Amino acid sequence: MQAVLYYAHDPMCSWCWGFAPVLRRLEAGLPGDVSLQRLLGGLAADTMETMAPQMQARIQSTWRRIAETIPGTQFNFDYWTRCVPRRSTWAACRAVIAARSQGAEYDKRMTSAVQHAYYLEARNPSDRAVLVELARELGLDAARFAADLDSAATCAKLQAEMELCERLRIYSFPALVLVSGAAQWHIPVDYLASAPMLELVEDLTSN
């Protein structure tokens, strides 16, 4: 029986950024009868309000903790002085969906572009203009992307993915849920190695 390993994330989730290298190894090592399906969780709704100073301090502290916990994970703290930070990630999630509509491969590519812009280049993916710039840099049809970014169809797809996350009892990101038939299991995320997760997936799907 074909099983699905759901990966729930948000492009502007800093722990998802830290998990990215191990995720690539995890996906590459999955058994042939297990497919990875990516889900957008939507951390924070649209807003034009500047992030409260306390929230800014908390997220910066999280970045430092991730850099200490996951070797090799980098953050550009210039973001906090160059940009006007907003607790708003749904636009970045919609950007992944809009990019995906121009080719399935652009799901990962737009996610990676948002992460690099945010964490390494001190650009703000909460800003629509930045997302359109990223689409152009990826070689997408930028006009089509801009039209799709806030369309009713794109918003509906994001809502559907967030609702699936809820049905899978996913409330934080990144998260992994293995579904095989009527059974489902939450796979503990290992930020340092793919082997423990792969072993658990193989054990669960071989029974």
Side-chain angles (χ1 to χ4, degrees):
M1 178 183 294
Q2 184 74 22
V4 177
L5 180 63
Y6 287 98
Y7 169 62
H9 71 107
D10 186 296
M12 294 180 70
C13 158
S14 49
W15 284 102
C16 297
W17 165 238
F19 184 54
V22 172
L23 174 66
R24 288 191 288 271
R25 296 195 293 273
L26 172 65
E27 184 172 13
L30 286 174
D33 59 349
V34 180
S35 62
L36 185 86
Q37 182 168 329
R38 301 165 69 90
L39 289 176
L40 292 158
L43 271 176
D46 298 326
T47 182
M48 294 304 296
E49 293 185 8
T50 302
M51 192 183 299
Q54 298 91 334
M55 176 67 75
Q56 293 188 43
R58 191 172 81 185
I59 294 177
Q60 290 180 58
S61 176
T62 298
W63 286 14
R64 294 187 185 93
R65 186 164 72 254
I66 293 170
E68 294 169 357
T69 303
I70 309 172
T73 307
Q74 297 181 343
F75 294 93
N76 185 346
F77 284 82
D78 289 346
Y79 168 84
W80 300 98
T81 53
R82 290 183 187 172
C83 300
V84 178
R86 307 198 309 279
R87 184 65 171 162
S88 181
T89 73
W90 283 11
C93 292
R94 291 195 299 272
V96 173
I97 294 171
R100 184 199 298 160
S101 72
Q102 297 191 38
E105 70 275 16
Y106 287 108
D107 185 301
K108 292 180 185 177
R109 292 185 64 189
M110 179 55 78
T111 298
S112 180
V114 168
Q115 291 173 331
H116 279 78
Y118 184 26
Y119 297 115
L120 300 180
E121 299 167 1
R123 298 158 73 185
N124 192 350
S126 295
D127 294 341
R128 194 177 194 278
V130 170
L131 296 171
V132 175
E133 286 173 5
L134 295 178
R136 189 175 293 111
E137 291 166 10
L138 287 174
L140 292 167
D141 180 332
R144 176 182 165 188
F145 174 88
D148 289 342
L149 185 56
D150 301 311
S151 71
T154 298
C155 292
K157 288 176 182 175
L158 176 56
Q159 185 63 36
E161 292 190 28
M162 292 192 295
E163 289 174 358
L164 179 52
C165 285
E166 289 185 6
R167 291 198 298 274
L168 293 171
R169 301 192 305 279
I170 294 170
Y171 306 112
S172 62
F173 311 103
L176 295 165
V177 178
L178 180 65
V179 176
S180 181
Q184 66 181 53
W185 305 270
H186 282 248
I187 306 299
V189 172
D190 189 320
Y191 292 95
L192 303 180
S194 61
M197 296 178 289
L198 286 170
E199 290 171 6
L200 181 54
V201 167
E202 290 171 1
D203 287 345
L204 291 170
T205 54
S206 63
N207 295 332

